Amino acid sequence: MTQMDYKYNLLGSTVNDYNKRPLLLQVDSAPMNLFAILEVKRELPKRWSNATCKIRLYSFLFGLAIMFVIMASYILTGDKKGLLLTPSPYHFSSLVSPGPFAFNLSSVKDYAHIKLVVKSITSKVEFRSSRQIPALKALVQSDPHMFSVIPHKFLPGIKNPCWYEEFTGNLTSDPYRTNLYGRYSRRFRIVFQHLRNTFPDHLLHRNRKLYRLRCLPYFYIMGQPKCGTTDLYDRLRLHPDVKFTTFKEPHWWTRKRFGIIRLSEGFHDRYPVGDYLDLFDQAAYQIQGNLTANTNGSPSHPSIIIGEASASTMWDNNAWVYFYDNTTEGEPPFLIQDFIHALQPDARFIVMLRDPVERLYSDYLYFGIANKSAEDFHEKVSESLQLFEGCLTEYTMRSCVYNTTINNAMPVRLQVGLYIVYLMDWLTVFSKEQILVLRLEDHANNRKYTMHKVFDFLSLGPITKQIESEITKSPASNTRRPADKSLGPMLTITKEILKDFYMPFNEKLAKVLRNDSFLWDSKP
């Protein structure tokens, strides 16, 4: 595949008004590589010789025509969606090099061929010891607004990271009027209505100024999807010292702060950090307590902690290519954890994992829209493996894991189950002591044991037997729907293919965690 050089630019300042629309991307006037997001480093030279132009012109013509159709389709969708350079997954397979094993992988009969694809993939698996951590200055420059809002130090004497922020607005106006979470969801608007009515009562009066208590989460339930995060969230909510955001899954760090709801829809309004902080107001009020009885502003409930549960936090960095210059050969220069660490170096994280083979099938059943079946799942797995293997013929494993085009093109989310790739990157900025990794299989077998591990990890105080019983014995949340259960298990050959694919990643995970149960090589 011929490599072509180009770069992305944002149209407008990222420091200015977050509510401007649309947020568009400009592509320099140069021929477009169909593996666009993998090559965003070098610029075209200022001049091409006539001879070189003639040699390369015809080879670009077909690619330019395809990209023109893609860009035109996005432009015609309206001003709110902006321009995305990622082809639809349903058209991507014709644009990607299929690699050396271009077989009919959608056929169950081609089992041997699929095994060759998996063997080719696993032969290219390699794990770096570490990655280059970006400098704090570079992080601040990429998002100065966020760093200007959140302070370097938090209030002493309380467990949760909180601070007092001066309120300069009008007391008669609605403090949540422009919050984008409330704008796009009726359920959120109902919550904000209650907060709006009590807002003045929670302002601290000091030296003729007004202050509001702001908080970030003490801990994050950060992944993975379809691994029991909802069940863990529902149980932790029953602990008297644990509060959460006004709703689960705000996805602010990974998506909303970039203006992304779904990449296929283009860019919407960027959610400013203030909108995210508003989600913690209800919990902040409980930490703050009764101001009339505590006029010095010291929180009345210093042991309460706040959690945030977005199952995208651990792995989803798909927005990077649209906002950051590529300086690392197709790999994101900044990751979500870099920003969280810069603001909250003492944060704690909980990761719930399950057998990646079963996770993928559960993911398919949950997010699939129509015509779901074990055979369809097999076909989608085969197509995804071919795309991933085609990427590995030209780029590193880590580049392909973080590659937005590949991730959007794969019919099933193979990359989400590559747990160790993400965990190793998190361990470059946070210590092992700050990340608790659990298995869903263990949680399903002994909820009391896993919940007590969580309590110890979060340094929570003792609870009554009645509360403990409610937490550990309540029915499981977000289980498989009856209609999906009726489809039965995946095909045996699909399971074997996926077990082979995930094996080297599981082996590395078990080694890093020093726990062979993460091999998932036997029944729990």
Side-chain angles (χ1 to χ4, degrees):
M1 181 178 292
T2 303
Q3 296 184 358
M4 308 172 196
D5 303 323
Y6 57 93
K7 66 176 183 178
Y8 297 93
N9 291 318
L10 285 177
L11 297 182
S13 171
T14 59
V15 186
N16 294 332
D17 185 7
Y18 274 68
N19 295 321
K20 289 181 179 178
R21 69 171 71 182
L23 176 60
L24 299 179
L25 294 172
Q26 171 182 313
V27 182
D28 289 351
S29 55
M32 179 68 65
N33 188 336
L34 295 179
F35 253 123
I37 71 167
L38 287 172
E39 290 291 328
V40 288
K41 180 180 180 182
R42 296 176 297 277
E43 301 180 27
L44 280 168
K46 299 295 182 182
R47 299 176 180 176
W48 281 6
S49 68
N50 292 334
T52 304
C53 288
K54 290 180 180 178
I55 294 172
R56 301 181 67 179
L57 178 60
Y58 292 104
S59 64
F60 295 144
L61 190 58
F62 182 68
L64 284 173
I66 293 175
M67 292 311 300
F68 176 81
V69 172
I70 294 170
M71 288 186 285
S73 67
Y74 278 109
I75 293 170
L76 291 175
T77 57
D79 69 320
K80 293 182 69 173
K81 295 192 175 181
L83 174 62
L84 275 180
L85 302 179
T86 305
S88 165
Y90 303 103
H91 302 291
F92 188 87
S93 58
S94 63
L95 305 180
V96 178
S97 170
F101 304 103
F103 305 109
N104 179 17
L105 299 182
S106 64
S107 171
V108 174
K109 297 178 182 179
D110 286 324
Y111 175 69
H113 295 162
I114 302 172
K115 294 281 284 187
L116 283 176
V117 171
V118 173
K119 186 176 181 180
S120 174
I121 292 173
T122 56
S123 68
K124 298 179 178 68
V125 171
E126 58 180 355
F127 301 99
R128 297 182 188 174
S129 57
S130 62
R131 68 182 181 93
Q132 183 176 355
I133 302 174
L136 176 60
K137 183 179 179 180
L139 295 172
V140 173
Q141 288 177 343
S142 70
D143 199 337
H145 175 70
M146 178 173 65
F147 283 92
S148 70
V149 171
I150 300 175
H152 300 297
K153 294 183 179 181
F154 304 116
L155 288 174
I158 64 173
K159 192 173 178 181
N160 201 83
C162 298
W163 67 97
Y164 276 104
E165 172 187 277
E166 183 177 358
F167 177 71
T168 57
N170 191 328
L171 283 176
T172 61
S173 63
D174 178 6
Y176 304 104
R177 180 177 57 85
T178 61
N179 189 293
L180 294 177
Y181 282 105
R183 178 185 300 178
Y184 292 119
S185 170
R186 181 175 179 271
R187 179 166 62 92
F188 303 159
R189 288 196 295 272
I190 294 173
V191 174
F192 286 139
Q193 177 63 43
H194 170 72
L195 292 173
R196 183 183 305 114
N197 294 336
T198 61
F199 182 81
D201 299 333
H202 295 280
L203 291 175
L204 176 67
H205 297 256
R206 178 73 56 83
N207 299 327
R208 298 183 179 180
K209 294 182 179 180
L210 298 176
Y211 297 88
R212 64 188 297 192
L213 188 67
R214 289 295 216 177
C215 297
L216 282 169
Y218 175 80
F219 72 96
Y220 296 81
I221 299 176
M222 64 175 185
Q224 291 289 66
K226 305 312 298 174
C227 289
T229 58
T230 299
D231 187 74
L232 178 61
Y233 165 83
D234 286 339
R235 295 179 193 281
L236 266 177
R237 289 173 62 196
L238 299 175
H239 195 290
D241 287 341
V242 177
K243 310 301 174 184
F244 279 93
T245 48
T246 54
F247 56 91
K248 186 177 181 283
E249 308 272 11
H251 296 297
W252 185 79
W253 289 101
T254 56
R255 301 169 188 173
K256 300 300 195 303
R257 70 187 179 104
F258 299 107
I260 292 173
I261 297 177
R262 296 178 183 87
L263 274 172
S264 59
E265 295 181 358
F267 293 99
H268 296 253
D269 299 315
R270 297 187 73 175
Y271 288 44
V273 64
D275 286 15
Y276 179 59
L277 296 177
D278 286 346
L279 304 181
F280 300 97
D281 277 1
Q282 201 167 37
Y285 293 163
Q286 297 183 60
I287 293 175
Q288 188 179 33
N290 189 348
L291 276 179
T292 59
N294 188 15
T295 55
N296 64 359
S298 298
S300 303
H301 302 288
S303 62
I304 289 179
I305 59 174
I306 306 175
E308 198 257 63
S310 296
S312 63
T313 304
M314 181 177 179
W315 63 274
D316 189 349
N317 282 274
N318 281 324
W320 76 268
V321 74
Y322 303 112
F323 293 90
Y324 305 130
D325 290 333
N326 176 23
T327 58
T328 52
E329 297 295 340
E331 299 178 10
F334 305 138
L335 295 175
I336 299 306
Q337 53 265 39
D338 297 328
F339 292 94
I340 298 178
H341 181 265
L343 296 166
Q344 294 181 260
D346 298 323
R348 304 184 78 80
F349 305 89
I350 301 174
V351 181
M352 184 80 88
L353 305 178
R354 72 190 288 189
D355 183 343
V357 176
E358 297 298 334
R359 192 220 69 81
L360 188 64
Y361 190 50
S362 179
D363 198 61
Y364 162 80
L365 292 176
Y366 185 81
F367 292 105
I369 298 175
N371 301 319
K372 292 180 287 189
S373 68
E375 291 76 18
D376 180 67
F377 177 66
H378 177 86
E379 180 176 341
K380 286 179 167 54
V381 167
S382 300
E383 292 173 4
S384 300
L385 286 168
Q386 185 182 30
L387 285 170
F388 196 71
E389 194 273 336
C391 178
L392 288 173
T393 59
E394 298 190 46
Y395 303 97
T396 67
M397 181 197 70
R398 191 169 177 275
S399 294
C400 294
V401 170
Y402 283 114
N403 184 271
T404 302
T405 300
I406 293 296
N407 291 343
N408 289 337
M410 289 191 294
V412 290
R413 300 191 295 183
L414 286 174
Q415 81 281 5
V416 176
L418 305 179
Y419 309 137
I420 186 58
V421 178
Y422 308 111
L423 181 60
M424 288 178 67
D425 280 345
W426 278 85
L427 290 174
T428 60
V429 289
F430 290 101
S431 68
K432 283 186 178 181
E433 289 71 30
Q434 292 176 266
I435 303 176
L436 175 65
V437 184
L438 304 170
R439 293 197 328 149
L440 175 60
E441 294 85 354
D442 300 330
H443 180 66
N445 287 337
N446 192 340
R447 296 190 183 97
K448 183 175 181 179
Y449 171 75
T450 56
M451 292 310 299
H452 275 279
K453 285 191 70 172
V454 172
F455 297 159
D456 292 341
F457 177 70
L458 298 177
S459 301
L460 293 170
I463 53 177
T464 65
K465 292 291 184 181
Q466 180 181 352
I467 294 176
E468 182 184 89
S469 178
E470 291 177 3
I471 291 174
T472 58
K473 295 183 179 180
S474 57
S477 302
N478 201 26
T479 56
R480 187 169 295 176
R481 294 168 293 210
D484 292 337
K485 288 181 179 179
S486 66
L487 295 177
M490 71 183 83
L491 300 176
T492 301
I493 62 168
T494 315
K495 178 175 287 191
E496 292 177 2
I497 290 164
L498 288 172
K499 283 180 70 70
D500 289 345
F501 169 71
Y502 285 117
M503 184 181 299
F505 300 95
N506 293 343
E507 289 174 346
K508 181 65 175 180
L509 178 66
K511 184 177 180 180
V512 169
L513 296 177
R514 299 180 181 179
N515 186 341
D516 286 345
S517 67
F518 287 96
L519 292 169
W520 286 287
D521 57 358
S522 60
K523 293 184 179 180

